[in-house]
Amino acid sequence: MSGISPRGSPSRRGTPSRRGKSSPRVATPIPSQAADAKGHLGSPLVPHDSPSTTTPTPSRRGKSPRITTPISAKGAQSLQSNKPTSSFYSCISIPVQGAVPINPPSDTESQKEDHRSAGESSRAPRKSKTDALMALKTRSRSQSVGEDDKPDDVLAEKYRNVPAIIPRSPVLDLSTIKTTSPRPDSLPRKEQRPFGLPDCPIFYPTAEEFKDPMAYIRTISQVANNHGICKVVPPVGWKMPFVTDTANFRFKTRLQRLNSVEASSRAKINFLEQLYVWHQQQGNPRVSVPTINNKPLDLYLLRKEVRKLGGFYAVTKKKLWSDLGRILGYHGIPGLSTQLKNSYTRVILPFEEYEAKNAAKEAKQSSPKKPVNGVNGHDTQAPPPASASTKATDDPPESPLTSTSSPLSEPPEDANGKSANVRPRYSTRMWSNEQRTPGPSNVSPILPPVFHDKKVTEAKTTTEQSCEICHKKNRGEEMLLCDGCDCGFHMFCLDPPLDAIPKEQWFCYTCLAGTGGDYGFDEGDEHSLSSFQARDAEFRRVWFESHPPARDPDELEIDDPTSSRIGNVTVSEYDLETEFWRLVNTQDETVEVEYGADVHSTTHGSAMPTMETHPLNPYSKDPWNLNNIPIVSDSLLRFIKSDISGMTVPWTYVGMTFSTFCWHNEDHYTYSINFMHWGETKTWYGKFEAAIKCEAPDLFQAQPDLLFQLVTLMNPKRVTDAGVRVYACNQRAGEFVITCPKSYHAGFNHGFNFNEAVNFALPDWLDYGRECVQRYREHRKLPVFSHDELLITITQQSQSIKTAEWLLDSLQEMTDRELRDRQTVRDMGIPEFLEEEDRSEDQYQCIICKAFCYLSQITCPCKPAVACVEHARLLCDRSGNDHLTFRKRFSDDELVDTLHQVSLRAAIPDAWRAKLSKLLLESARPALRALRALYSEGERINYPLYELNSLRKCVIRANEWVDSANSFLIRKQSRKRSRRSRGRPPLHEATEDPGDRPDKGFDELYALLREVETLGFDCPELTSLKSLAITAEETKKRCIALLNSTHSADEREEYIEECKRVLVDGSSLNVLIQELLEVEKIVDREQLMQELDDKVDDNELPILLDEVRELLARARTCNMPADHPQLQQLEARQRAGTSWEDRARGLLAQPVKTIEELEEFENSELDILIDENVHNRLLHALAKAKDFERNALNWCNPAPGAVLPKLNEVMRLVVRAEKEFQIPAVQDIHKAALVAQDLETRCDQVLKNRYPGDDNLFETMDQWKIYAGSYLRIFTLPTFERLVSQLNAHHDWVKNLPWYCPEHEVVEAKAILEDVLEHTRPEDDLPPTDEFFTCICTTAVRPPPPGVQSDAVQCDHCYARFHGDCANNGGSCPFCDHHHWNGSIHKERSYHFCFLPSILLAAPELSKNYSEEWKQLETIVHRVDRLSNVVGQFLTYTSSTENQRPEYLPQVRHYMRKLYKIQFAVAATPDVSYGLDLAGLHRILAHRKGPVNDRHAQKLAARQREKDLMAARKRRKPRFTFGQDTDSNWKDGTRCICRGRTPYLLHYPMVTCEVCDRKYHAGCVFFPDDSGKNKNAKFLCPLCHMRKNSTYPYAEIRVRPPAEFQKRADQYVDVHQMMNKCTTDLIFKTLAPPVSKTLFVEIVKVTNLENTPSRPPAQTPERRAVFRPQPYRHPHARSADTPAAAVAHAPPPPPANVPSVPTMPPPPTSASSYPSIPPPPWSRWGGANPSGSGGESSRLQEGSPTSATSATSKKRKLDELGAFQEPVPIYPKRRTANESASTSEMNGTSYTNGAYTPPPPEPRPQNSDPPQRLSPSLAKIVIGGPQTSPRAHPFQNHTLMTPRSG
């Protein structure tokens, strides 16, 4: 620090222009605390604040860093007082396990934060409820004052050597906290609240009211707004769950000193600090506090009261000093007035005059340090040195509330990679530890925005310092630099001027006046809930045991829910509240507590369930869930386009005893809702800002945005004394507290609790929101969101009338304001353009006032920043407006149209009301049609219209009357009317259908007419109803006349006609007329008599039963006599027909019917025509029953070739048939189907591996086959057929096992399994340490006892000793002789291991699930596979020459013993044997061990000579060059036999030679795999075969000589003879024309190594010895029965899958019956097993030719094994695939003049993959072995079943 100034420029210390800044800086102690080691007390002048960390500086201009004015130790000693020493209590001194201190940010981080431009922080960070000013660069904690000057922490001394308190559990125990609370209405009020504060309203919503939170809050908002806050108690039964993971939940806290947050106390501290600093830099560092009557004078109170009385000169002039003394509390002190005046004159007045002079100067001139709008700001930056890091000129000037200039801000979370899912909007609630820079900052002072009409100038880049008063750069030796802002001042320009450089620090007026504007909270610890609970519990206990309440302990009841037992003290809520305010106001006891406020739920998770975390919890959808409150339908915050942490996303708060949240209102004056999950009480207060401004005006003068900072409290008593009504409430667990817009609130916690809070907004908030935006603009505070954008978004997303009504005024104000601003811009001549896309918010935020200019902005091409219209001239320093542009988001027409549309929607209800009023005023009886139309229009208006209810009732009543009238005017149509002529229905029809007869008479008609007179409307039905009444009266009179008239027989006909005419006229009247009914009876009786004469008397015409019943009903209606003969005849017919019909219906009603009953009833004869429907039902039932019988008989006796039925078809027919009928054939097939169904179920269980245990399951399934073939062959049994297929496949698979004995038909796996288990144990991988273990067996060859001759035999090569019996097996050393391992010596198990996995994989699923043989094979494969891996890895390691050390001989012999006992070959591929490789390795190691004697050395020399002879023979071996070798590659990359001469072969499937890597057309070389898609197929081309002197397996090869030899066409080169004779001379042979597949190649030249010039030998890998064992043949295999039983180590072919069905009994010959089947065998088995099907399946196929010929090959010499020293991979490269190729596969091949035409490629079958992977070794084995199909085995997807237990 000695060479660098705070701004990074070279320091001027030691020069006249600046007094030495390297002097020690002393921290200022807290008032009333110890100031020195001698116990002297601090002066009231000493500012009170938290300790600092490094050397601080006073405030720099416009930056307000956190500072503490330094006081020298000597000056502190001069400020003495007799006040007793104060006590300091810090809860952070209580050690708790789990509490982690928070490391402060480094200087680099702080500098980074200071360098952040305002443009990067385009919105206000959310302010912390308790501690937003912590980012104000707090005073350093370690000033140069000594430790003795710091106050002693009482708790630190108490817990100095005490171990940390261990919480009960890492998980919070909810049983130790209060999770419920009694309802407030059940608590009696025992005592008045402290300060006499009234309680806020408490609301108790019902369960119904509680369903809609926004609707309920609207109902209580009027009452709540009058009080600022209110409390809502949920209904009984509502319990929000607490879902926070308390084990992992951790949060950070802030430290709060209670007596530092009180407004008047902090104002006093700030004044005393400024006062002392000024006196100190004026050369009076030992200024002392005057005392009166031995008591220190309160200078702050003295100055405050003098100002209230008009100032010093007014008090002196009016002689009010004595009155002032009484105000200050002094009485009876002689000379009091003189003492007060002298003290004021000596200490305070000079500072006031200095302050007034400087303020006046800055008011007169546009000084760089002119305070604007009450905020100390600068319009220019101080000129930084050349090396200073200055801000870019296009960066916006900082606000006192931005992250770069004020502690209210903190960097957005996305800068640190946090909270990416939440919109980075943060309120000023946020704490900002990142902004706290300890010590002096070495960056340039950050300027606040300006509002005066002067453009922001460029920062000075010159390094020469100028005076801030005269602006001259001369006389630098007399220029003094401010320790706060580094600005220069001539000492003679100061007022008063200075004669010499001050010895201590010196600050300019601006920095001095800004002292105290930096207050904030320090960081506490990081806690879990359990550790925080433990600290709070201990602090509460210690505090209240040492500070018990001053009350009688018996006054409180033990079970009082508002009291708590803390240690051995009972404390009530009243006691806690009283103690809290005592600690806030006292200076004698400083208490420091922690508060975990503003914990982001986006980071730590909400304590309430959400749809993302707990989707099944019903409370996640509860409307009172704070995660849902901001986005419910009536909350305006849902229109904000993204989440705002703490505003639309809840924050959580963890409180402890006495932790507080200071006075503040919510961001944008919104509502807030706070819910307490659990814990101790939280006390709330609500009041307004005016009281604090009156009580502490100095704080507001220094910080006009003081209440934005949430660090100020005020005693409620002082607030009430100022005339402001303050309300309070106690919030307990499970209760809500709601704060209203613009209401200030504060509070504190009674103990450990957990709250969660969020904001919301109702429509009545809009005016408050606009007012808040204007206030933010005045104070340059960053808003959280754009108010104008919110209004626009609401108009776009909500088109309801209700929205339009409350939005119209705000939208009107916004539109008028915007149009007014646009007119201003147009008057300025600024060009404008329209941009119809939204920008990010930092691109439409005013650089001056920080307001969001969403609708329009002023832009400048020289900088990315924008400005609002009011500050357009301050955006850029260029003159004129030509360079500026005016950017609009919406055009004027769009804004006006939006306002017009909203106003139209808002006017819809009034327009409807106007229509209704006009209609009612135009006529006393309005038309019903008009009323209906108006009512329909009102229903379509989605808005509550109270007039609509009355109109609805009127229209509904009118519609009811019209319906009643229509019942007279409109006759209901009957179904019977269509068959008759128009007119009134006959009497008998009216009787049967009463609905056709009028049911209302004249009384109802006239009552309806009277009713309409009182309703007051008009309609057409009224006139029609009156006409109907007149017509009905006339008809009634005519009927009475007819009924009263008399007539003769001659006049009878005319009378009847007149009656009919009356009936016709009356049929159109829908009025019940009794007289008309009587007339109708007369006419019906006459008609009935005529019908009876026509139908009854004529016996030839049959009458239907229904017609008889109709005639009898009409006769009774007409009152005909019962003894009428025709009626009696009709009744007799009715009885006969009814009897038959009843019997028929009874039969049809029976649940089960037989065919015989139906046939018998069908044949009965009747004289009467019965109901045709009943008769048809009988015939249909009979036909249906016979159809069922016929189907059952056809299924029981199927015809040859007929399709057999499925069980579900049979059961479906049986169910349908037995539901109605009883048919013997159906019952028989039902019994068989049940048995078949049971069999299918059992087969399905077996196939799905769910069949219960059965030791002889396969024998059981064989008996199922026999039973099903005998009795269930009439059904289609797909599951059974699949099982039979699997069973046959299993039998075939078992027969393909190498250890299957075909003679005895048993699997001989026991001995093999025992040997494998014995010799593949993992723990036996290391060789024995006994040197006598040299034999091939596992017994040591020890020397015999003395005198006993040994039968041991010793190997001449390796000198291993063997038992005599072991040596007789093969006659040679098993370690050295490769014939023991290459298959030359026959063994009982001469098969190869690599084919066992293929057999294992080829097993059907039935075998894998139930077969013991498969389990044995699986165990063998896995155990041998592990051994194969171990041996393979060992061979790989020893393949390197340096690893072939003789000490590995015991290990090699140990592995060979294991393989020798297992007997069968073990390797990864069929042509390799690890035993053979180990034998070769054994000889190499034995050879390297060296000869043990002379005889052994001679043998080794002879072998070397033989090896040299073989090398010479190899050099003479001819080398052939064929025509294909000289060709170039064809178009498709091939160099084929066809030599590219056949165009259609282009892109034909190709194969690649694995030796020369050349590509050939598969058809041209007759390769069986001609698909070209099998990438794993092995192929050795014909040319390589000839060079290897081997036979090409797929065709004959003929070699033509070169053309210059001019040989005949039948003469060819004999390559085989040339290779055998090692000659380069061509040998010819004559061959007959080809008759099979033949390939022709042309030889070009022949050379050898002897004729070739000497050159370095090619690096070709040495060929590895190939394993050629003898074909395997089971010892009991019978050559006669199995001629092809020998297998040359090839996998078995796939089974034929042809089920061997046992001999079935002949089908029954009877066509009419099906034999009754016996019970199924699974119901009676348990004794002897039935005999299985006989016959043997075919044995394994013959092996490949290459394997078969290996039996006759000559023995390899031992030198060949000894020469093998190249690295040997575990999995050698695969050889060719199965080389056996049947000529029958190429039957479609044609030859034309020797040319071969390849067939087109055929698709290959796809194999499914088993569910478990093979081990690498098994996978390699499966790949390496030859396959039964041309393609390679997909080993990566094949699996082995894990061994099953039991």
Side-chain angles (χ1 to χ4, degrees), residues 339 1168 1562:
Q339 294 185 58
I1168 189 172

Side-chain angles (χ1 to χ4, degrees), residues 549-687:
R551 65 158 71 239
D552 187 358
D554 298 332
E555 292 183 12
L556 299 178
E557 299 179 2
I558 298 178
D559 56 350
D560 186 356
T562 63
S563 301
S564 302
R565 188 69 175 173
I566 303 175
N568 54 8
V569 181
T570 302
V571 182
S572 65
E573 293 177 349
Y574 178 89
D575 299 331
L576 261 162
E577 188 172 3
T578 304
E579 181 68 6
F580 170 75
W581 287 111
R582 185 188 71 82
L583 294 175
V584 168
N585 295 318
T586 184
Q587 294 298 325
D588 297 332
E589 291 180 313
T590 300
V591 175
E592 190 175 58
V593 296
E594 290 181 283
Y595 192 16
D598 301 339
V599 182
H600 294 211
S601 64
T602 55
T603 305
H604 302 82
S606 174
M608 295 183 177
T610 64
M611 290 299 296
E612 292 78 11
T613 59
H614 299 79
L616 301 180
N617 194 315
Y619 282 93
S620 63
K621 303 177 182 178
D622 194 283
W624 286 86
N625 188 319
L626 298 192
N627 296 281
N628 303 330
I629 282 281
I631 59 174
V632 294
S633 59
D634 291 338
S635 175
L636 301 190
L637 297 187
R638 76 184 189 276
F639 294 107
I640 297 177
K641 297 178 182 178
S642 61
D643 294 334
I644 306 173
S645 180
M647 196 165 191
T648 61
V649 178
W651 272 350
T652 55
Y653 303 85
V654 187
M656 72 172 294
T657 305
F658 299 145
S659 60
T660 180
F661 52 101
C662 301
W663 289 110
H664 70 283
N665 50 26
E666 297 299 320
D667 290 326
H668 288 258
Y669 291 165
T670 54
Y671 287 87
S672 75
I673 182 169
N674 186 295
F675 177 74
M676 179 178 286
H677 286 274
W678 42 258
E680 301 296 332
T681 304
K682 181 190 291 284
T683 296
W684 293 71
Y685 304 98
K687 71 176 186 67

Side-chain angles (χ1 to χ4, degrees), residues 1151-1155 1181 1184-1192 1195 1209-1227 1229-1230:
V1152 178
K1153 300 172 281 293
T1154 63
I1155 297 179
K1184 189 176 181 180
K1186 290 184 177 181
D1187 185 59
F1188 285 146
E1189 184 181 36
R1190 181 172 57 258
N1191 287 339
W1195 284 345
E1209 297 176 354
V1210 175
M1211 296 306 297
R1212 197 159 48 240
L1213 180 136
V1214 168
V1215 170
R1216 291 171 54 202
E1218 293 185 348
K1219 186 177 181 181
E1220 301 182 45
F1221 309 103
Q1222 184 176 352
I1223 306 172
V1226 174
Q1227 293 176 346
I1229 199 171
H1230 185 198

Side-chain angles (χ1 to χ4, degrees), residues 1284-1599:
V1284 170
S1285 175
Q1286 289 270 320
L1287 186 61
N1288 294 336
H1290 166 72
H1291 291 318
D1292 294 341
W1293 177 80
V1294 170
K1295 293 177 182 178
N1296 288 333
L1297 293 176
W1299 43 82
Y1300 175 77
C1301 178
E1303 179 179 355
H1304 303 93
E1305 297 184 355
V1306 294
V1307 177
E1308 300 173 347
K1310 181 178 180 181
I1312 299 175
L1313 184 62
E1314 290 177 353
D1315 288 345
V1316 168
L1317 293 177
E1318 174 63 25
H1319 295 92
T1320 59
R1321 292 180 290 112
E1323 63 273 12
D1324 191 35
D1325 286 347
L1326 298 178
T1329 56
D1330 193 344
E1331 61 179 349
F1332 294 103
F1333 275 93
T1334 59
C1335 185
I1336 196 66
C1337 66
T1338 57
T1339 305
V1341 184
R1342 300 187 181 279
V1348 179
Q1349 185 177 0
S1350 174
D1351 62 345
V1353 180
Q1354 187 175 25
C1355 174
D1356 293 338
H1357 179 76
C1358 64
Y1359 291 88
R1361 295 176 61 84
F1362 298 86
H1363 299 100
D1365 295 337
C1366 298
N1368 292 333
N1369 187 6
S1372 60
C1373 173
F1375 295 135
C1376 299
D1377 189 0
H1378 63 278
H1379 293 89
H1380 287 273
W1381 307 99
N1382 65 1
S1384 299
I1385 299 177
H1386 176 74
K1387 298 182 180 181
E1388 184 179 354
R1389 305 170 190 166
S1390 59
Y1391 40 84
H1392 200 290
F1393 166 70
C1394 71
F1395 298 113
L1396 296 185
S1398 301
I1399 298 175
L1400 184 70
L1401 293 173
E1405 289 296 323
L1406 191 67
S1407 304
K1408 296 178 181 179
N1409 294 335
Y1410 299 100
S1411 173
E1412 188 65 30
E1413 292 83 1
W1414 191 87
K1415 298 177 187 177
Q1416 296 171 350
L1417 177 60
E1418 183 187 37
T1419 302
I1420 293 173
V1421 167
H1422 279 286
R1423 295 295 290 265
V1424 176
D1425 174 60
R1426 193 205 65 81
L1427 179 63
S1428 175
N1429 282 335
V1430 174
V1431 176
Q1433 292 174 8
F1434 177 75
L1435 289 173
T1436 302
Y1437 175 75
T1438 54
S1439 62
S1440 177
T1441 306
E1442 60 271 13
N1443 295 330
Q1444 295 173 356
R1445 298 194 292 270
E1447 54 264 27
Y1448 288 150
L1449 269 176
Q1451 185 70 56
V1452 173
R1453 292 174 179 174
H1454 186 64
Y1455 287 147
M1456 295 182 71
R1457 289 189 194 98
K1458 292 177 178 290
L1459 298 180
Y1460 192 83
K1461 292 298 181 181
I1462 295 175
Q1463 294 190 23
F1464 55 81
V1466 175
T1469 53
D1471 52 356
V1472 176
S1473 172
Y1474 285 163
L1476 188 61
D1477 292 343
L1478 288 172
L1481 177 62
H1482 184 274
R1483 295 191 60 83
I1484 292 174
L1485 299 182
H1487 175 74
R1488 292 194 174 188
K1489 193 175 181 180
V1492 296
N1493 49 35
D1494 295 340
R1495 183 168 171 264
H1496 188 199
Q1498 294 174 2
K1499 286 184 177 181
L1500 292 180
R1503 290 174 193 148
Q1504 184 62 38
R1505 287 192 298 273
E1506 185 176 357
K1507 181 178 179 181
D1508 296 339
L1509 291 175
M1510 292 182 64
R1513 178 182 174 87
K1514 185 176 181 180
R1515 286 192 298 270
R1516 293 194 304 271
K1517 181 179 178 180
R1519 303 295 179 103
F1520 298 95
T1521 302
F1522 299 100
Q1524 284 77 7
D1525 297 330
T1526 61
D1527 292 343
S1528 60
N1529 291 342
W1530 199 30
K1531 298 177 182 179
D1532 56 358
T1534 61
R1535 196 182 291 187
C1536 186
I1537 298 296
C1538 65
R1539 306 186 75 172
R1541 299 169 182 171
T1542 311
Y1544 76 90
L1545 291 177
L1546 187 64
H1547 303 306
Y1548 196 81
M1550 298 175 290
V1551 292
T1552 303
C1553 178
E1554 64 177 4
V1555 175
C1556 64
D1557 203 29
R1558 292 178 182 173
K1559 296 181 181 179
Y1560 293 83
H1561 298 118
C1564 293
V1565 295
F1566 301 101
F1567 186 65
D1569 186 11
D1570 58 353
S1571 64
K1573 300 179 181 179
N1574 190 353
K1575 304 301 181 183
N1576 296 324
K1578 291 185 177 181
F1579 171 70
L1580 193 65
C1581 68
L1583 303 184
C1584 292
H1585 269 287
M1586 286 190 294
R1587 290 188 174 99
K1588 293 178 178 292
N1589 199 18
S1590 62
T1591 303
Y1592 184 63
Y1594 306 113
E1596 179 186 359
I1597 303 176
R1598 296 189 180 187
V1599 181

